[in-house]
């Protein structure tokens, strides 16, 4: 694999696999034998008839997984709106056009962050079209790099960007019923605890475990603290420990070798097996963009992408959900289906892909037709994948259960046909959602908390407080010190 870019170190060269090595790896893939990194690297280079044989093996694994999941022949997607909460970021990836700077935002007439009204407008229009997912995408902790971002957040009453993300997720839940999927970048274990109650799922691309692409000057991730592979792997582990249904994936063609690509897939497999919390793995192909340092780098080709999908499927197994974004390919839908995908990810009838604005989403009807042409049926899912809907706690926070239940088919966990989202109270379902009700919770819950010292129906549920206290004092040991009971 030799590819040169205008930004990034030259990839180490390696000889192409011998025909014997390819035959052996393909035979092991066909027979369902566990593959190691070296064999996976060989298979990632399959082309022509070898690629067809590889895809055939991967397709069988995918089909077995769908059969076991109770939805044979079904490929899923999520109907969403894309909410770019802020395009500011503290990282400097050499292929990104999503991230910008405060001066450009002002020159274009945009705010540093979307306002609450702008967020709600997008969500409401999406709900009217039948969307069920609100995909929040933003840069990593922009306040760490941009004083203007800190000032905006402080003026709006928020400590940091994640506090604003949390507040807007609650507002979307309460006022539209769309289910938030959060992509705020690198999160700590504590961050997961703050955000899990307001979002059924979250995500962050691993991209690659090739540390040299981050550590060496000229690498595509050099100068981006949140792109250190060890940091991103820690996020995957923390998501698993927090029982968060998590979406991750690899970005192929940014300068990694086939060996490094295989190692990245195996790293995701290790996390998936440890916690069973990775709900989906995205295999995304690099597409060069103008006005970036990597604008002259070649795109990852369709054969490269199909081989990466097939190897991902083989390494992760039948229970994994594997996605390839449909707007990043040119008519190559059928090869991706043959290679083992079972999901197209989020598709929007309203908003563009703000990360890849030059690549429009396919119409859902077109996607369904292309899926059917390969012998599969397209079905809508929620942002939280069906398996996690059916598992319930601890994967789904009880505060989100009414919102998910309103949209999910109770038997399959997929999106219920013809279901339309509607706003529901987030934390206190006994209080009506009115203009004077809890629609302000997105602003007050972090700063004011609950206004009473105990729930309003305390005496109805637990009895008279004075009697309980007398009973507790009577049964306490006489040697108990105050505060030790």
């Amino acid at each position: 694999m030799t590819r040169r870019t205008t930004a990034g170190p030259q990839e180490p060269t390696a000889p192409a696999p011998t025909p014997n090595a390819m035959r052996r790896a393909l035979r092991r893939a066909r027979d369902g034998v566990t593959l190691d990194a070296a064999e996976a690297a060989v298979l990632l280079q399959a082309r022509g008839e070898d690629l067809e044989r590889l895809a055939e093996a991967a397709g069988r694994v995918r089909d077995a997984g769908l059969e076991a999941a109770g939805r044979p022949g079904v490929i899923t997607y999520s109907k969403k709106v894309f909410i770019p909460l802020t395009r500011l970021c503290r990282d400097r990836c050499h292929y990104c056009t999503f991230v910008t700077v405060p001066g450009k935002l002002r020159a274009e007439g945009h705010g540093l962050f979307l306002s609450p009204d702008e967020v709600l407008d997008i969500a409401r229009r999406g709900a009217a079209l039948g969307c069920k997912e609100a995909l929040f995408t933003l840069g990593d902790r922009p306040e760490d790099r941009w004083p203007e971002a800190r000032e905006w957040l402080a003026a709006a009453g928020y400590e940091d960007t994640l506090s604003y993300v949390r507040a807007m997720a609650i507002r979307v839940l309460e006022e539209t019923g769309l289910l938030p999927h959060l992509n705020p970048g690198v999160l700590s274990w504590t961050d997961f605890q703050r955000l899990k109650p307001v979002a059924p799922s979250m995500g962050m691309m691993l991209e690659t475990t090739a540390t040299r692409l981050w550590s060496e000057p000229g690498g595509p991730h050099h100068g981006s603290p949140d792109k250190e592979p060890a940091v991103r792997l820690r996020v995957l582990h923390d998501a698993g420990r927090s029982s968060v249904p998590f979406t991750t994936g690899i970005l192929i063609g940014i300068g990694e070798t086939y060996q490094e690509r295989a190692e990245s897939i195996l790293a995701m497999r290790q996390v998936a097996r440890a916690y069973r919390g990775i709900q989906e793995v995205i295999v995304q192909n690099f597409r060069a963009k103008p006005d970036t340092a990597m604008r002259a780098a070649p795109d990852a080709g369709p054969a490269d992408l199909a081989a990466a999908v097939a190897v991902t499927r083989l390494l992760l197994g039948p229970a994994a959900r594997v996605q390839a974004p449909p707007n990043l390919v040119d008519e190559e839908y059928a090869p991706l289906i043959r290679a083992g995908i079972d999901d197209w990810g989020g598709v929007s009838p309203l908003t563009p892909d703000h990360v890849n604005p030059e690549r429009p989403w396919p119409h859902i009807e077109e996607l369904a037709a292309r899926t059917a042409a390969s012998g599969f049926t397209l079905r809508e899912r929620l942002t939280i994948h069906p398996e996690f809907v059916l598992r319930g706690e601890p994967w789904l926070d009880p505060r989100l259960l009414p919102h998910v239940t309103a949209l999910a088919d109770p038997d399959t966990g997929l999106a219920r046909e013809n279901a339309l989202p509607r706003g529901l109270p987030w934390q206190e379902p006994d209080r009506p959602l009115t203009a004077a009700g809890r629609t302000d919770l997105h602003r007050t819950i972090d700063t004011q908390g609950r206004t009473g010292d105990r729930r309003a129906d305390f005496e109805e549920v637990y009895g008279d407080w004075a009697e309980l206290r007398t009973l507790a004092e009577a049964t306490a040991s006489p040697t108990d010190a105050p505060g030790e009971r």
Side-chain angles (χ1 to χ4, degrees), residues 120-417:
L120 190 57
D121 176 65
I122 296 171
R124 280 178 172 158
R125 288 189 288 135
L129 292 173
C131 296
K132 299 173 183 64
E133 173 186 348
L135 170 62
F136 284 81
T137 295
L138 55 148
D140 275 83
R141 304 183 190 275
E143 65 272 22
D144 288 356
R145 178 180 176 187
W146 301 108
E148 299 95 326
R150 291 196 299 273
E151 293 165 5
W152 190 97
L153 291 165
Y158 297 99
E159 180 181 356
D160 53 24
T161 296
L162 293 183
S163 296
Y164 189 51
V165 170
R166 186 174 187 271
M168 292 304 98
I170 295 172
R171 181 167 188 176
V172 165
L173 285 165
E174 290 206 319
E175 301 194 28
T176 75
L178 291 183
L179 303 177
H181 176 84
L182 305 183
N183 280 348
V186 167
L187 297 173
S188 68
W189 185 89
T190 303
D191 296 331
F192 278 116
Q193 311 316 304
R194 293 173 62 196
L195 296 177
K196 180 179 176 179
V198 305
S201 61
M202 301 182 218
M204 183 204 70
M205 294 288 283
L206 173 62
E207 296 195 6
T208 181
T209 55
T211 301
R212 64 184 181 83
L213 299 181
W214 168 80
S215 62
E216 296 180 9
H221 292 154
H222 189 66
S224 299
D226 300 291
K227 291 302 178 76
E228 182 181 1
V231 170
R232 298 180 87 76
L233 282 170
R234 189 263 302 158
V235 174
L236 299 190
H237 283 278
D238 283 346
R241 294 186 185 102
S242 302
S243 299
V244 171
F246 205 71
T247 296
T248 189
I250 56 172
L251 177 59
I252 69 168
I254 57 172
E256 79 285 2
T257 65
Y258 287 114
Q259 180 73 23
E260 290 166 336
R261 193 177 298 177
E263 291 167 355
S264 299
I265 300 169
L266 288 169
M268 292 186 296
R269 184 179 74 177
Q270 191 275 328
V271 175
R273 288 181 173 179
Y275 308 103
R276 306 294 179 185
I278 291 184
Q279 66 167 4
E280 181 178 26
V281 170
I282 302 170
V283 182
Q284 182 173 332
N285 50 318
F286 168 77
R287 303 299 299 255
K289 297 177 175 61
D291 302 322
T292 67
M294 293 182 67
R295 59 187 175 274
D299 290 347
D304 235 12
L305 178 59
V309 166
V311 172
T312 300
R313 168 60 67 194
L314 290 169
L315 292 182
L316 269 64
R321 307 278 77 90
V322 178
Q323 179 218 130
N327 62 318
L328 298 185
V329 298
D330 300 312
E331 312 298 326
E332 299 102 8
Y333 292 75
L336 296 177
I337 294 175
R338 287 198 301 273
I341 68 159
D342 57 3
D343 189 83
W344 289 117
V347 178
S348 180
L350 176 68
T351 52
D353 177 354
H354 289 280
V355 175
N356 301 282
E358 76 285 359
R359 311 289 306 185
W361 304 111
H363 293 293
I364 293 172
E365 296 76 12
E366 176 193 1
L367 191 61
R370 290 181 176 274
T371 302
S374 292
F376 288 80
T377 301
L378 186 68
R379 287 287 305 276
E380 184 184 1
R381 62 166 171 84
L382 305 179
T383 178
I384 176 174
H385 277 248
E387 292 80 0
F388 293 89
V389 173
L390 298 176
R391 288 184 200 176
E393 290 191 72
W395 300 98
L396 182 60
D397 189 280
R399 283 163 282 193
L400 296 170
L401 183 60
H403 302 82
V404 173
T405 301
L407 300 174
D409 182 307
D411 296 323
T412 66
L414 294 167
R416 185 160 46 83
E417 290 188 21

